[in-house]
């Protein structure tokens, strides 16, 4: 098969690495990709929002399967575009159409969907600027901290958690006044849930068939012990020790199946990955958010633990024939450590020469924000490169990843050393 993977981050580097191992693969293209994907595939320099250009690649390169990595093209209808194209053979497309992608594109849509199918989630109401006074009344019925979410996409920044009631009201006003552009014209206000988060990933085929992929936990704060500002993700581990059989049965019965049955009932032809952002509240799972793609940097750890042929699973999902298929999972632990630019997630510099990648022997290196310049690999984003290792437990996977992360250098490089450490208390039985 000829496969076109859309995207350019660490997630796509890890997907490309896994896809490249498949016996079903003839040729892999990544659009636009990065220097990491260039080592195992052919990059095509095109924007993920250029749907006509991507359609042309599909024709020119005789693509059989398109795999869409990031959410924005999905929310904007890339799958509809490719599947409705006329005058040539239509490829299989893995990634929901715009109707399914609303699960990530609109928090209010996601909350209403969960309400319709009794999927456990925080109590909520949605308001607009016209109903500001009712919004304040609703806030009064909740306890601090107050959770305010821009309805539309806001590059992961649209959620405000505020302790102080008056500040929450002021924040709400700013959101209605355009703090996140039109994405915050509507705001979901919800009850704060207290617990530990995890990410559960499912691949589904639009016909009720699904497989559950390895779960993972990501680490969002810049500082160790989850201190400091939020980032795009500083590392991840898989498996998550508290996600035992009893917990995962609840996830499957109370969350995954009702979600997929909801798609069938509402004629949402959802072929692709579903990312359930969950929180464990006293051993019961609640949905914090849906995403319509894989997570980053969870994918880096998840891909290392999939023993099945991912291409076979993705092809079956995109073709509507996943029923009866299984995902074989490596029982070892994977840990991912992200190297970021000094100053990130605030102001940081790009263009720093990266050295030492070739010295990494026991881990897998996945590029995130890198570029090629004058025969060097240089930093080209806040999250630059990640190192993923397998081990018999969290400590051994993390130690290998940290040893290898220390071999990679660029001016200002920083990484957390405590990825997964908070989960050790669950592993001592
Ligand atoms: P989201 O963009 O919906 O994932 O929200 C970003 C982060 O805010 C989540 O990963 C949680 O850490 C936190 N969060 C969102 N909603 C809630 C909630 N209802 N209770 C507690 N934390 C939340
Ligand atoms: N790791 C969280 C996300 O990809 O949204």
């Amino acid at each position: 098969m000829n496969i076109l993977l859309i995207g350019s981050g660490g997630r796509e580097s890890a997907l490309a690495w896994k896809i490249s191992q498949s016996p079903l693969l003839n040729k892999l293209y990544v659009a636009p990709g990065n220097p990491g994907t260039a080592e195992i595939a052919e990059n095509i320099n095109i924007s993920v929002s250029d749907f006509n250009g991507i359609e042309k690649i599909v024709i020119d390169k005789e693509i059989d399967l398109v795999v869409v990595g990031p959410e924005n093209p999905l929310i904007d209808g890339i799958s509809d575009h490719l599947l409705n194209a006329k005058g040539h053979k239509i490829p299989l497309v893995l990634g929901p159409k715009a109707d399914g992608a609303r699960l990530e594109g609109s928090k209010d849509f996601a909350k209403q969907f969960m309400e319709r199918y009794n999927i456990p989630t925080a109590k909520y109401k949605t308001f607009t600027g016209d109903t500001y006074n009712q919004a304040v009344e609703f806030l009064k019925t909740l306890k601090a901290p107050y959770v305010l979410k821009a309805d539309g996409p806001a590059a992961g920044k649209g959620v405000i958690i505020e302790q102080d009631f008056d500040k929450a009201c002021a924040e709400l006003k700013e959101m209605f006044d355009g703090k996140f552009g039109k994405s915050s014209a509507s705001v979901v206000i919800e009850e704060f849930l207290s617990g530990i988060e995890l990410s559960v990933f499912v691949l589904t085929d639009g016909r009720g068939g699904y497989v559950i992929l390895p779960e993972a936990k990501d680490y969002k704060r810049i500082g160790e012990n989850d201190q400091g500002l939020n980032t795009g993700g500083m590392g991840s581990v898989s498996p998550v020790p508290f996600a035992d059989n009893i917990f995962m049965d609840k996830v499957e019965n109370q969350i995954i199946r009702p979600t997929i049955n909801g798609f069938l009932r509402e004629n949402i032809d959802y072929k692709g990955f579903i990312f359930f952002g969950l929180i464990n509240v006293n051993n019961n799972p609640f949905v914090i958010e849906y995403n319509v793609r894989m997570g980053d940097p969870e994918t880096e750890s998840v891909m290392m633990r999939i023993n099945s042929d991912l291409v076979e699973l993705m092809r079956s999902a995109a073709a509507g024939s996943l029923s009866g298929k299984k995902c074989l999972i490596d029982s070892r632990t994977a840990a991912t450590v992200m190297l970021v630019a000094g100053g990130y997630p605030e102001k940081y510099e790009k263009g720093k020469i990266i050295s030492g990648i070739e010295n990494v022997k026991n881990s897998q290196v996945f590029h995130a924000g890198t570029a090629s310049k004058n025969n060097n690999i240089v930093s080209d984003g806040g999250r630059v490169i990640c190192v993923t290792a397998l081990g018999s437990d969290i400590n051994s996977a993390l130690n290998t990843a940290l040893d290898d992360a220390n071999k990679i250098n660029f001016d200002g490089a920083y990484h957390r050393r405590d990825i997964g450490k908070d989960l050790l208390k669950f592993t001592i039985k």
Side-chain angles (χ1 to χ4, degrees):
M1 299 178 79
N2 294 331
I3 300 182
L4 173 63
L5 172 64
I6 309 285
S8 63
R11 167 183 49 218
E12 287 75 26
S13 295
L15 286 168
W17 172 79
K18 187 69 190 164
I19 290 169
S20 69
Q21 295 163 16
S22 172
L24 295 173
L25 181 69
N26 178 45
K27 173 120 194 187
L28 174 62
Y29 300 90
V30 189
N34 64 34
T37 62
E39 287 169 17
I40 47 177
E42 182 177 329
N43 285 349
I44 303 182
N45 191 11
I46 187 167
S47 157
V48 302
S49 54
D50 181 355
F51 295 176
N52 287 325
I54 290 169
E55 184 187 341
K56 191 165 176 322
I57 297 170
V58 166
I59 302 167
D60 291 350
K61 306 293 185 191
E62 300 181 345
I63 299 297
D64 301 295
L65 171 67
V66 180
V67 178
V68 186
E71 66 276 18
N72 283 336
L74 292 167
I75 293 169
D76 294 340
I78 191 172
S79 301
D80 310 67
H81 181 100
L82 294 174
L83 292 167
N84 292 330
K86 302 251 162 22
H88 61 86
K89 187 177 141 242
I90 306 293
L92 293 170
V93 179
L94 189 76
K97 294 185 261 190
D99 58 353
R102 286 179 74 196
L103 273 190
E104 180 163 359
S106 165
K107 304 257 184 213
D108 179 57
F109 175 82
K111 293 298 272 192
Q112 289 193 35
F113 182 91
M114 288 185 264
E115 206 167 40
R116 283 199 288 282
Y117 300 103
N118 285 320
I119 294 170
T121 189
K123 192 169 84 180
Y124 84 105
K125 278 201 167 120
T126 305
F127 299 93
T128 59
D130 296 344
T131 52
Y132 175 76
N133 291 338
Q134 282 117 290
V136 170
E137 289 307 311
F138 182 62
L139 270 181
K140 284 184 190 160
T141 69
L142 301 175
K143 290 196 202 77
Y146 304 99
V147 182
L148 313 176
K149 299 185 171 185
D151 175 45
K157 298 193 169 58
V159 176
I160 308 278
I161 300 186
E162 177 56 61
Q163 278 293 337
D164 182 77
F165 178 78
D166 292 332
K167 283 191 187 152
C169 293
E171 192 64 60
L172 186 60
K173 188 141 196 11
E174 276 184 36
M175 290 173 87
F176 289 142
D177 288 345
K179 177 167 184 168
F180 300 105
K182 63 179 188 331
S183 289
S184 60
S186 291
V187 174
V188 171
I189 300 181
E190 67 180 41
E191 162 198 31
F192 181 83
L193 297 175
S194 190
I196 309 185
E197 289 176 61
L198 80 158
S199 308
V200 169
F201 302 99
V202 165
L203 188 57
T204 188
D205 68 356
R207 295 190 183 166
Y210 66 92
V211 296
I212 303 177
L213 306 177
E215 79 285 353
K217 182 173 191 294
D218 78 339
Y219 291 80
K220 293 193 172 79
R221 301 298 182 119
I222 186 74
E224 295 187 355
N225 300 313
D226 292 327
Q227 303 294 311
L229 294 173
N230 251 326
T231 70
M234 296 297 294
S236 65
V237 287
S238 174
V240 178
F242 64 77
D244 55 16
N245 287 343
I246 298 174
F247 185 82
M248 288 305 288
D249 280 349
K250 290 183 190 170
V251 172
E252 186 165 7
N253 293 326
Q254 298 170 17
I255 294 172
I256 298 174
R257 284 223 189 92
T259 299
I260 286 169
N261 288 338
F263 294 155
L264 295 178
R265 279 198 58 165
E266 300 188 15
N267 290 319
I268 296 175
D269 176 23
Y270 193 114
K271 295 173 160 62
F273 295 107
I274 321 171
F275 168 163
F276 298 87
L278 305 182
I279 190 162
N280 174 351
V281 182
N282 300 324
N283 292 321
N284 288 310
F286 286 74
V287 178
I288 290 279
E289 65 168 348
Y290 285 108
N291 295 308
V292 297
R293 51 169 171 90
M294 289 297 289
D296 195 356
E298 291 98 328
T299 305
E300 291 85 325
S301 291
V302 167
M303 288 302 132
M304 295 283 278
R305 296 190 59 230
I306 294 181
N307 283 339
S308 297
D309 179 356
L310 183 68
V311 170
E312 160 66 8
L313 292 176
M314 292 195 302
R315 178 179 70 173
S316 302
S321 59
L322 200 53
S323 174
K325 298 259 165 34
K326 291 257 175 306
C327 180
L328 301 176
I329 297 177
D330 192 316
S331 62
R332 286 175 296 173
T333 294
T336 296
V337 171
M338 183 71 73
L339 280 77
V340 304
Y344 173 80
E346 296 182 280
K347 203 166 163 301
Y348 61 86
E349 291 177 11
K350 296 182 184 178
K352 306 290 182 197
I353 293 176
I354 304 168
S355 63
I357 298 174
E358 67 285 359
N359 298 329
V360 171
K361 296 281 182 274
N362 300 314
S363 307
Q364 197 58 47
V365 174
F366 297 117
H367 291 230
T370 66
S372 294
K373 199 171 171 192
N374 305 330
N375 286 329
N376 286 311
I377 307 270
V378 299
S379 65
D380 195 39
R383 296 192 302 152
V384 176
I385 205 160
C386 48
V387 176
T388 305
L390 285 167
S392 55
D393 56 20
I394 290 176
N395 273 327
S396 87
L398 178 65
N399 288 338
T400 305
L402 288 175
D403 277 352
D404 281 326
N406 283 328
K407 294 178 185 150
I408 301 179
N409 294 302
F410 55 92
D411 186 23
Y414 164 77
H415 64 267
R416 276 179 64 168
R417 292 161 301 172
D418 66 335
I419 300 300
K421 293 272 190 193
D422 59 325
L423 296 175
L424 292 175
K425 62 177 183 275
F426 297 101
T427 60
I428 303 157
K429 292 254 160 71

